[in-house]
Amino acid sequence: MSDSMRHVLSALVENKPGVLSRVTGLISRRGFNIESLSVGPTDDPTLSRMTAIVRADAVAYEQITKQLHKLVSVHKITDLTDEASIERELVLFKVNAPPERRGEIIEVANIFRAKIVDVGRNALTIEATGDEEKLRGLEDLFRTYGIKEVVRTGLIALSRG
Amino acid sequence: MMTDEKKAAGAARGAGPEAVERTAAAMGAPRGLGSKTPKQGKRMLGAEALVASLEAEGVDVLFGYPGGQAIRIYDALYDSDQITHVLARHEQGAVHMADGYARATGRPGVVVVTSGPGATNTVTGIATANMDSVPLVVITGQVSQAVIGTDSFQESDIVGITMPVVKHSFLVQSASELARTVREAFHIAVTGRPGPVLIDVPSDIASAELVFEYPDEVSIPSYKPTYKGNAKQVRAACKLIEQAERPLLYVGGGVGISDAAPELEQLMDLMGIPAVTTLMAKGALRASHPLNLGPVGMHGAKYSNLAMTECDLLIAAGARFSDRVTGRLSAFAPHAEVIHIDIDPAEIGKIREAKVPIVGDVKGVLAAMAAQLRKVGAARQDGPWLEQVRAWRERYPFYDAAVGENEGEVVPEVVMRELSARLDPQRSIVATEVGQHQMWAAQFIDREVPRSFISSGGLGTMGFGFPAAIGAAIGCPGKQVVCVAGDGSLQMNSQEMATAAINQVPVKVLVMDNRALGMVHQWQKMFYGERYSETLLEPVPDFVKLAEAYGWEGERVEAPDAVPAAIDRMLSAQGPYLLDVAISPDQSVYPMVAPGSALDDVMGAIDVAVGAVRTAMPATAPVQAPAPSPCAQIDEQFGGRWEAGPDDTAPRAGADEEGGRS
């Protein structure tokens, strides 16, 4: 798959048991890896929003979306890749922070408008939100101090306007 | 056992597809009384509500097998006057029967089985129906909700197991949603691209009390199949048709499903467009239409394949560009622009890009195309293209007695022609198993009406055809139903001979008995140096004795000239009848396009231009002496004395060569 590219796929689905496995099963059955996935309820309690990042070429991606659309549990599929859209992810970093370096790390966090949510004897836990690029930048910086653990929510996205 | 009234009711309902408006709402509406059922508003148990729902849907035949978690449902069925239950001898058989019933009648097939193994035994049947777009409603008993997920006795996650092979599935979670679930299941199964729908019913729901309220309407906001083709796209397609010099219709199973034969013929006659048909489309377009070129693909006619390769406009109608049709994709219809009509948008552009995609019901779209072409006064072309097609057809016939193959042996092609000549095309149904006999049947049995040829096309399920024939015979009591089988396939579900006998289903089974798995054997002959690994079935049971054991009549023929009279005896038998026809395992199905070859690279087609002989026959791969086994080498070297301790990690002689491939 030479010309495969990253797609942000947003699906409005029935809020019922088994729907997640119908959707992810369909994608993986066709040999595609889901790089990121987030699911949550919407303003309508009968519907959930799933946002997935899938890497595929144009033809394969079209086939995935058409097949997803065929699922009775899927209401709507939107491709937020090309559209002007807002992408956000939340990450929790647990960073090595001996007392003498705490100040530096907090400063870095502040520049990125990240929040310190827990302080341990030798570690700081930092909450950061943003798009993939910002979070990658932050991660690179924290890596110099040593990251003990990192947890991501998966990307969520909305079209602008 | 079927009562006469029930049979009569079945016959009346099986008279033909009711003319309903072609919208999802109309086509998916209950075929029974719906909310006007006398049981509406009554207090009852979940199991009774389930049966009442099936009655409201107009179900008169159910195929199934009881078990622990389905006892309540079966108890409720005991009181149903409307529904006849056909007890299969294996759940897989039950699903194939429902499938055959649905393919033959156009109505959904309904299955009831128990949880656990009962449910898992339905999987192959469900997958078969899914691949060939057959409407089924499969109801599985489930353990009670309190113990789901605890590995309780006869528990299986059947919703999870079948997820990739169903159109949709439901796990019923409260008794109050039972009726609506059944309504939605039937609606989804029959509308749009039809398919199997599974309903998993936990036993506590079957025994819960409820007030029965059957809905007529469904409201599934996320499911709105498109029936009407886009008018702009129809006009664009017509423009291409007008401009085309070598147009060809590629007719698939969707044409049969949507009963589009009249509209298709209209378009063909109006514009003089020839058509080729897939296995699933056999009967969808009558064989006697002068522009019907018949089977295309791996074992299709050479003239059909040449037409596919040379056309400049390919109009795919309810077809999905299966690999058995296209051959090597890069060489498939290389000069053609494609118009693709399908009710399933996901089929369009999946394999071959469409210049003009049209999502919609084939019947309506073809009618709209013919109307548009008439409106713009497009003229029929009877030019060089039809001349060319006619010339190919004369030059490369499917069969020519002058070829004179297999002197003194039964010739499978001749058996099929003899059978075809004896069947009333309007009042008969042919079902097939899977393999060589299936291809011969597709090549040589002429079909004139839709739903008269039943075969597992997509999944290629051996063991499908025989139970499907039983289901078709139950659905169409006035029709002669013949299953063309192979000795391998028949042994996969031969237990259903009991079902046919007990229910007095007068199905006929013609076994093309080569004591081998003929199709794989043929590939081994052609591509694997005649290394017949596990394809010889001897000893095969005595099929005549087997038939008699089940209360059937049976007969075996070995002499070619005894075949016609034997077929006559089979067809005139009152009850179920098995005719075992001995053929040689060395017979191959021709013509053939080798897997991965271009569609016009045809082996073994008859060419009368060079004198009624098969041309481009595959060179049988040379029989190679198998590489000596390490043990044999050791024996030779050490006189059989293993304790001499040879280094048997040394590479085996010839191990780097690809064993025996041509």
Side-chain angles (χ1 to χ4, degrees), chain B residues 60-267:
Chain B
D60 48 20
V61 185
L62 206 56
F63 301 88
Y65 205 101
Q69 304 300 346
I71 288 183
R72 274 255 187 239
I73 301 171
Y74 273 86
D75 190 61
L77 266 175
Y78 202 63
D79 293 326
S80 176
D81 296 326
Q82 182 182 319
I83 299 174
T84 302
H85 182 269
V86 176
L87 178 63
R89 262 40 183 179
H90 187 289
E91 288 89 351
Q92 186 190 354
V95 184
H96 291 326
M97 282 177 208
D99 184 325
Y101 172 93
R103 293 188 203 221
T105 62
R107 285 174 284 142
V110 189
V111 177
V112 177
V113 297
T114 190
S115 64
T120 56
N121 276 344
T122 65
V123 173
T124 302
I126 293 172
T128 304
N130 192 50
M131 284 285 255
D132 290 347
S133 312
V134 178
L136 293 185
V137 174
V138 179
I139 297 163
T140 51
Q142 181 55 280
V143 298
S144 85
Q145 292 185 90
V147 296
I148 284 184
T150 64
D151 301 328
S152 58
F153 180 63
Q154 290 194 333
E155 177 183 358
S156 68
D157 171 16
I158 197 61
V159 169
I161 289 168
T162 56
M163 213 168 260
V165 295
V166 294
K167 184 170 175 186
H168 194 51
S169 49
F170 298 91
L171 171 61
V172 183
Q173 289 178 303
S174 81
S176 63
E177 64 188 54
L178 201 48
R180 186 173 48 81
T181 302
V182 174
R183 181 73 280 272
E184 288 184 359
F186 274 82
H187 178 87
I188 291 169
V190 302
T191 53
R193 178 180 183 170
V197 178
L198 183 131
I199 308 176
D200 202 18
V201 185
S203 61
D204 55 311
I205 285 179
S207 48
E209 264 196 49
L210 56 92
V211 176
F212 184 64
E213 295 286 354
Y214 204 73
D216 289 324
E217 311 281 324
V218 293
S219 163
I220 316 168
S222 54
Y223 178 73
K224 298 251 188 286
T226 306
Y227 273 76
K228 195 171 177 310
N230 179 293
K232 202 173 119 217
Q233 294 295 87
V234 168
R235 285 198 298 276
C238 291
K239 200 143 262 149
L240 286 187
I241 293 174
E242 280 183 84
Q243 289 160 359
E245 286 174 7
R246 302 186 303 279
L248 183 70
L249 272 153
Y250 159 34
V251 179
V255 170
I257 292 169
S258 95
D259 288 307
E263 290 75 13
L264 177 67
E265 287 198 26
Q266 225 175 53
L267 182 65

Side-chain angles (χ1 to χ4, degrees), chain A residues 14 16-18 21-22 29-30 59 62-63 66-67 69-75, chain B residues 159 163-164 167-170 173 188 193 220-223 344-346 348-350:
Chain A
E14 270 182 324
K16 276 190 185 166
S21 89
R22 276 181 217 272
R29 214 153 48 235
R30 280 159 206 275
V59 175
E62 186 187 327
Q63 184 57 209
K66 281 175 162 178
Q67 293 290 348
H69 212 99
K70 263 170 78 172
L71 292 178
V72 174
S73 312
V74 173
H75 282 242
Chain B
V159 169
M163 213 168 260
K167 184 170 175 186
H168 194 51
S169 49
F170 298 91
Q173 289 178 303
I188 291 169
R193 178 180 183 170
I220 316 168
S222 54
Y223 178 73
D344 178 0
I348 296 177
K350 183 178 85 175

